[in-house]
Amino acid sequence: MPGLVEEGRAKVNLTLRVVGRRVDGYHDLESVVAFADCADRLTLTPGPELSLQTTGPLASACGETSDNLVLKAARLLGESIPNLKMGGFVLEKVLPVAAGIGGGSADAAAALRLLARLNNLSFDDERLREVALATGADVPVCLASRACDMTGVGDNLRPLSAPKMPCVLVNPCVPVATKDVFAALGLRHGELLVGVTDVMMQASPWPEEGGSLEEWVEALAAGTNDLEGPATKIQPLIGEVIAALNATDGAWLARMSGSGATCFALYENTAEAKRAADKISKEHPEWWVHAGTLS
């Protein structure tokens, strides 16, 4: 049987509210998530042994293979489903690591989709969703890999009908550890970051199906990323990236994604996004820059 292929698309948090920290230590979030047209590529060749090989320009940044979320997700699914067919994974790594765009989570989600295809499992199989959440908080949203409003610890997903959004993604090629950013937020177990009124307001609907790009940008601009401040204190380059994005012509909204250090800007059209990316790449050749669309 030939190898099966899936993409692990970059996840972008267009907004991110931290509602509070639960008594179990996990943080409750509310985040509008979309996915970019840049992605890692994961191939699964059926075989008797589970294995993982990393290739691509950023393979060296993946760390120890044994710690990779692709293998963690596969092993957890194997524990959940007896006699699960496995095989050898090859990961072509092109997305920055520890970058706030869910690269590792997207790879794990791609692994689950590949194993589902190999074993004739439905993508909405409850066991897939359970294993996704057990693998990592961002894996469930990456499993669907479509725009949604994500709440809780990543377990509640409400699909959104967002238009294609021309964008530029920029990472200054410095890793930022998610745990350090949440630690810098400084919430105690059981502490709310926002008031009850604010929490209730988060349930407000986003633009309905058919909403224009302008309507979406206006709604997103009213939001925030609560992790941007603490992440910038840990890595001041984030502030420089946002400033560089804001300095490009036509940037409607510039913000950090996830826990950083990747930041994004939204534009009216792909031509403006391409010109902005070219400008930033020329001024900062050491940065990772991508122009494309979110959906």
Side-chain angles (χ1 to χ4, degrees):
M1 183 177 177
L4 304 173
V5 179
E6 285 278 344
E7 288 190 335
R9 297 170 65 196
K11 167 198 66 71
V12 177
N13 298 89
L14 297 170
T15 67
L16 197 161
R17 297 294 309 277
V18 179
V19 178
R21 191 176 188 185
R22 307 189 324 183
V23 293
D24 61 7
Y26 289 97
H27 290 79
D28 277 318
L29 310 175
E30 192 272 339
S31 178
V32 173
V33 177
F35 287 83
D37 55 357
C38 53
D40 292 336
R41 180 183 174 91
L42 189 65
T43 303
L44 171 61
T45 302
E49 299 293 334
L50 173 63
S51 63
L52 173 64
Q53 176 187 356
T54 55
T55 66
L58 294 178
S60 61
C62 289
E64 291 293 330
T65 299
S66 59
D67 296 330
N68 196 285
L69 291 183
V70 167
L71 293 181
K72 180 179 179 180
R75 290 181 180 124
L76 287 174
L77 191 63
E79 294 172 4
S80 177
I81 301 177
N83 303 314
L84 189 76
K85 296 176 184 176
M86 293 282 192
F89 289 100
V90 177
L91 173 62
E92 183 182 358
K93 191 68 181 173
V94 300
L95 299 178
V97 175
I101 51 175
S105 297
D107 298 339
L112 292 177
R113 292 195 299 271
L114 286 169
L115 290 170
R117 289 168 56 188
L118 179 61
N119 290 273
N120 296 315
L121 301 174
S122 170
F123 281 1
D124 61 4
D125 190 304
E126 185 61 31
R127 293 169 295 184
L128 280 181
R129 290 198 290 265
E130 290 174 354
V131 167
L133 186 59
T135 303
D138 278 340
V139 181
V141 71
C142 291
L143 190 63
S145 199
R146 59 159 295 175
C148 69
D149 188 15
M150 178 176 69
T151 56
V153 292
D155 50 340
N156 300 318
L157 305 174
R158 179 168 67 92
L160 296 173
S161 298
K164 286 190 178 295
M165 302 180 184
C167 76
V168 174
L169 302 179
V170 179
N171 183 279
C173 296
V174 290
V176 177
T178 299
K179 63 179 180 62
D180 293 343
V181 176
F182 276 105
L185 197 61
L187 290 181
R188 298 183 301 274
H189 289 218
E191 181 182 0
L192 285 178
L193 181 63
V194 295
V196 174
T197 302
D198 292 326
V199 174
M200 293 174 63
M201 289 179 63
Q202 289 178 25
S204 301
W206 295 95
E208 298 291 338
E209 185 172 358
S212 68
L213 176 60
E214 290 84 353
E215 289 174 312
W216 270 92
V217 171
E218 182 179 358
L220 293 169
T224 185
N225 182 343
D226 289 336
L227 299 181
E228 191 173 298
T232 302
K233 289 181 180 178
I234 292 171
Q235 182 45 259
L237 266 178
I238 293 170
E240 295 183 28
V241 171
I242 293 175
L245 286 166
N246 277 321
T248 60
D249 292 334
W252 279 356
L253 172 67
R255 183 174 287 159
M256 188 185 80
S257 173
S259 56
T262 302
C263 302
F264 67 89
L266 301 179
Y267 298 81
E268 182 176 4
N269 54 62
T270 54
E272 281 190 342
K274 179 64 166 59
R275 286 193 292 270
D278 289 343
K279 177 178 185 290
I280 293 175
S281 293
K282 183 177 180 181
E283 294 174 351
H284 301 277
E286 72 281 11
W287 290 0
W288 178 87
V289 181
H290 172 80
T293 57
L294 301 175
S295 61

